[in-house]
Amino acid sequence: MVGGYDPEAKKELAEGAWRVRFRYETAAVDAGHEVILAATDQVRFDRREGRAFRQVDLAEVPPLVFSEAMRDVDLFVAVTSIATDPEWADRGEDPHHAYWRETSFGVLPPSAQVRRDALARLLPRTAVAYRCTLTDRFLVVRGDLGTYKIHLGSANILMDPGDVYLCIVSARKRDARLFLPFEENGQLSLILSKAFLLANDSRITDEAILRQIQRKRPS
């Protein structure tokens, strides 16, 4: 998709017979008036008529065109959402914190539902399978020091008891030799790497992570 400062990202589909337009708007700016956050808006579909496009009702859009367009929208939102930032919870009274919390641990988007299906096939073949359980939204991992819930959408983590947030920042270094299904944005490998780490939590040496795990839990 392209757009730049245009409030619409556009993409042509079906060899140019259709166009999808994804609107967005400014949500926050910094002290230098640079846009730092954007909010998503409407998705519109246009059909080519000669050299121009004409907007059409959703009922006129072919299922395949709709599916491809919404797949791109879902992937864009999944990759750029603040919900994927594990350090966002440390921003105190940030006005977007409620959105971060809801999206980080809420109902799974379609891409994460596919990811859950992939995990259901992969987990039984891993060395930590006996420590893992899949629920509707989480991969639950039982370590030696605690129990952890990794959200299948954001890959963010809650600790039991009390759903205490655990911040683990990925180094974002991926092994190019490792193939995983539906691995477009790295979330599947990130979830698995966190599962392996937490299943062996007694071997963790990172002091920042250990302090969080060992801190006093709410009663």
Side-chain angles (χ1 to χ4, degrees), residues 80-149:
T80 62
S81 173
I82 63 173
T84 62
D85 183 352
E87 297 183 284
W88 197 271
D90 297 330
R91 299 187 181 221
E93 299 301 317
D94 188 282
H96 303 287
H97 184 269
Y99 166 81
W100 178 88
R101 182 80 183 189
E102 178 182 354
T103 308
S104 288
F105 303 110
V107 177
L108 299 182
S111 58
Q113 293 172 9
V114 175
R115 190 176 301 124
R116 185 191 183 282
D117 292 340
L119 276 169
R121 298 191 301 270
L122 288 170
L123 277 174
R125 292 177 262 170
T126 68
V128 297
Y130 71 104
R131 288 184 176 265
C132 297
T133 304
L134 273 175
T135 68
D136 58 336
R137 289 178 289 158
F138 295 95
L139 173 59
V140 181
V141 182
R142 298 179 303 279
D144 295 322
L145 305 178
T147 299
Y148 314 90
K149 300 190 298 186

Side-chain angles (χ1 to χ4, degrees), residues 198-209:
L198 296 172
N200 298 282
D201 57 359
S202 59
R203 300 180 184 178
I204 293 174
T205 57
D206 187 291
E207 293 184 2
I209 298 175

Side-chain angles (χ1 to χ4, degrees), residues 165-199:
Y165 179 64
L166 173 61
C167 178
I168 297 179
V169 180
S170 169
R172 301 199 179 277
K173 181 180 179 181
R174 302 191 181 103
D175 188 343
R177 298 169 299 174
L178 179 63
F179 170 77
L180 291 172
F182 199 72
E183 185 62 343
E184 292 180 309
N185 62 2
Q187 289 297 85
L188 184 55
S189 60
L190 180 59
I191 290 170
L192 282 171
S193 66
K194 289 183 176 181
F196 274 85
L197 175 70
L198 296 172

